[in-house]
Amino acid sequence: MTPPARSPADLGALAQRLLDDLALATDEPGRVTRTYLSPAHARSIELVGGWMRERGLATRLDAVATLRGRREADGPAGRSVLIGSHIDTVVDAGKLDGCFGVVAGILAVEEIARRGLNLPFAVEILAFGDEEGVRFPSPLSSSSAATGTYRREWLTARDRGGVTLEEALRAFGCDPDAVEAAAIDLEGVVGYLEVHIEQGPRLEHWGLPLGVVTSIAGQTRMGMTVEGMAGHAGTVPMDLRRDAFTGLAEIALTVERIGRQGTGDLVATIGKVAVRPGAGNTVPGRVEASLDVRASADAPRLVALDRIRHEAERIAARRGLTIAFERHVDVPTCPMDERLQEAFSRAVASLGGDLRRLPSGAGHDAMAMARRFPSAMLFVRSKAGISHNPLEWTDPLDLGLAVEALVRTLLDLADAEGRA
Ligand code: GLV
Ligand code: MN
Ligand code: MN
């Protein structure tokens, strides 16, 4: 007998339980930190893989440690719908960013089976391991591998402990020589769907649990290295110093000013700084910092990057410092697929209430997936827009509504495929 359909409240409570369990897989006891190819990442693959297998999905790990769980089509083998997000986190993260998209996919597939519904396509759930780019400076590397746009030079980057990405992959049991084999065949794919918390305040402001994403802000991520001269904090007079840190501090205020002056939702952030040699009684001789610049259109981002570079070089020269930039990521603004936006929209509308569409300021695996596959995203309301913070929270009922919307989106696509 077919078990009864779960209500959004039940789906949400179940999603929350799984997310609470997943949050226990952490590299830092007492807070959620799960970086790519870490022991906590391995534990999360075991846990999520178990959830997939319990629900009848066949699992495997690809060459870059993306966990893939597949449910075959009912009836003749056809194309497949990809559903995904990431299970890595930032440092001291919340429980929802990325993880909810994977959990939502698993619960939606389970719900389809519980309701005795058939799908004319396979569903493949992708739990990506490297969206955030915290351990290595190559965010979206695992979804890039799925689209055949992996850049081999990423493999030589080192983490803080000096381990290269290639070494970390091998130690994890993966085969970096086979990254090309992780690419998914374009012909066989209907599209890629990603459910994600909004991580911003708009849906809450509108009083809506769900919204459909129109586009994802383009982003550039760079490393900046400022070089000066290390010296004794007690003997080098103030007017003879070439202090790399105070140089960076002035550059940081300039980055903030340029960010504030920009158009198109421009944002500019320095989120990571390492001061060398890093002793309280030594004038800093070198500073390594990150730079993250995003906007909803490409032009304001590129103009801001030019200005930042120009001003930073001017400040460095005035202070007797040098500055070097290394570009790690440059992803243009990414529109979401219209047809899949419509499918998500019909599903949301069928749940009642208003339908609103909104752009994403955060980056997502959907940006990489959209290079090759029709891709779309559904956002779920975030409490106070807080994310990349342990206070990140979404009402479990909203989580349940998102799972229900994903079920309905799959049925909508099934209808279209059946008719195709
Ligand atoms: C990912 O969370 C990003 O937007 O950086
Ligand atoms: Mn994130
Ligand atoms: Mn995310």
Side-chain angles (χ1 to χ4, degrees):
M1 208 181 72
T2 310
R6 289 192 179 102
S7 67
D10 288 346
L11 285 169
L14 183 51
Q16 188 63 59
R17 273 211 305 284
L18 298 182
L19 290 164
D20 288 342
D21 282 354
L22 187 47
L24 297 175
T26 177
D27 296 313
E28 295 186 300
R31 58 185 199 167
V32 183
T33 300
R34 192 165 53 248
T35 58
Y36 186 37
L37 306 173
S38 68
H41 183 204
R43 284 203 299 285
S44 71
I45 288 170
E46 251 171 65
L47 190 64
V48 176
W51 296 338
M52 290 174 168
R53 289 186 289 275
E54 282 162 20
R55 289 161 175 87
L57 301 176
T59 60
R60 69 189 177 88
L61 206 61
D62 77 9
V64 292
T66 299
L67 172 65
R68 295 170 57 164
R70 187 173 173 91
R71 172 201 192 275
E72 292 303 336
D74 300 292
R79 301 202 292 164
S80 53
V81 170
L82 309 176
I83 299 176
S85 200
H86 58 100
I87 53 174
D88 65 323
T89 73
V90 292
V91 175
D92 199 11
K95 297 176 179 176
L96 293 156
D97 177 4
C99 300
F100 176 58
V102 174
V103 164
I106 293 172
L107 293 185
V109 166
E110 180 180 14
E111 225 20 51
I112 299 268
R114 282 173 67 90
R115 297 178 195 182
L117 302 166
N118 288 332
L119 296 176
F121 42 70
V123 177
E124 187 146 330
I125 299 176
L126 304 169
F128 297 114
D130 187 24
E131 191 267 358
E132 302 284 7
V134 169
R135 181 171 175 190
F136 299 100
S138 46
L140 306 175
S141 73
S142 31
S143 39
S144 297
T147 63
T149 57
Y150 198 88
R151 285 170 36 198
R152 283 208 155 262
E153 67 263 28
W154 290 337
L155 292 168
T156 57
R158 288 180 193 277
D159 70 6
R160 279 175 190 232
V163 178
T164 65
L165 173 52
E166 174 164 5
E167 288 160 354
L169 279 166
R170 289 196 198 284
F172 207 74
C174 295
D175 179 7
D177 297 329
V179 277
E180 283 76 21
I184 298 172
D185 176 22
L186 171 64
E187 291 310 311
V189 172
V190 177
Y192 171 76
L193 305 176
E194 182 164 352
V195 179
H196 203 286
I197 53 164
E198 183 200 341
Q199 308 177 278
R202 289 190 222 210
L203 289 171
E204 187 176 70
H205 178 71
W206 294 329
L208 296 175
L210 304 174
V212 177
V213 177
T214 50
S215 67
I216 305 175
Q219 59 173 270
T220 300
R221 283 161 76 166
M222 313 223 256
M224 297 188 289
T225 304
V226 181
E227 297 261 14
M229 180 73 175
H232 195 295
T235 61
V236 186
M238 294 307 286
D239 58 345
L240 295 184
R241 292 185 178 196
R242 290 165 54 216
D243 181 331
F245 176 70
T246 51
L248 179 78
E250 189 177 345
I251 290 167
L253 291 174
T254 301
V255 167
E256 183 187 52
R257 179 170 49 77
I258 292 171
R260 284 195 174 142
Q261 290 168 347
T263 56
D265 302 314
L266 182 76
V267 282
T269 308
I270 294 177
K272 196 162 106 179
V273 177
V275 180
R276 316 277 181 205
N281 59 353
T282 302
V283 177
R286 176 185 167 101
V287 176
E288 293 147 12
S290 63
L291 174 68
D292 178 314
V293 180
R294 310 183 189 202
S296 55
D298 291 328
R301 176 174 52 90
L302 297 175
V303 167
L305 282 165
D306 267 0
R307 282 189 66 198
I308 288 172
R309 213 177 169 121
H310 177 76
E311 297 277 321
E313 278 164 358
R314 210 175 45 80
I315 291 166
R318 175 162 46 74
R319 289 171 165 269
L321 308 169
T322 61
I323 181 163
F325 294 89
E326 190 183 359
R327 202 168 285 228
H328 298 308
V329 174
D330 219 357
V331 190
T333 301
C334 177
M336 296 285 90
D337 180 75
E338 292 286 345
R339 188 176 89 92
L340 293 178
Q341 281 190 55
E342 288 303 323
F344 265 141
S345 300
R346 282 190 293 274
V348 172
S350 76
L351 287 164
D354 283 351
L355 172 70
R356 296 284 282 259
R357 301 195 193 209
L358 68 169
S360 172
H364 297 288
D365 290 299
M367 303 176 90
M369 295 302 274
R371 289 182 202 137
R372 189 168 174 110
F373 310 112
S375 298
M377 293 192 73
L378 179 69
F379 268 175
V380 195
R381 171 166 54 190
S382 289
K383 168 107 176 137
I386 296 171
S387 189
H388 284 193
N389 183 317
L391 295 177
E392 179 180 276
W393 190 78
T394 292
D395 187 330
L397 178 59
D398 292 357
L399 300 180
L401 286 167
V403 176
E404 180 62 36
L406 183 56
V407 170
R408 294 183 188 200
T409 305
L410 288 171
L411 297 178
D412 185 288
L413 295 177
D415 200 24
E417 282 286 296
R419 279 191 270 113

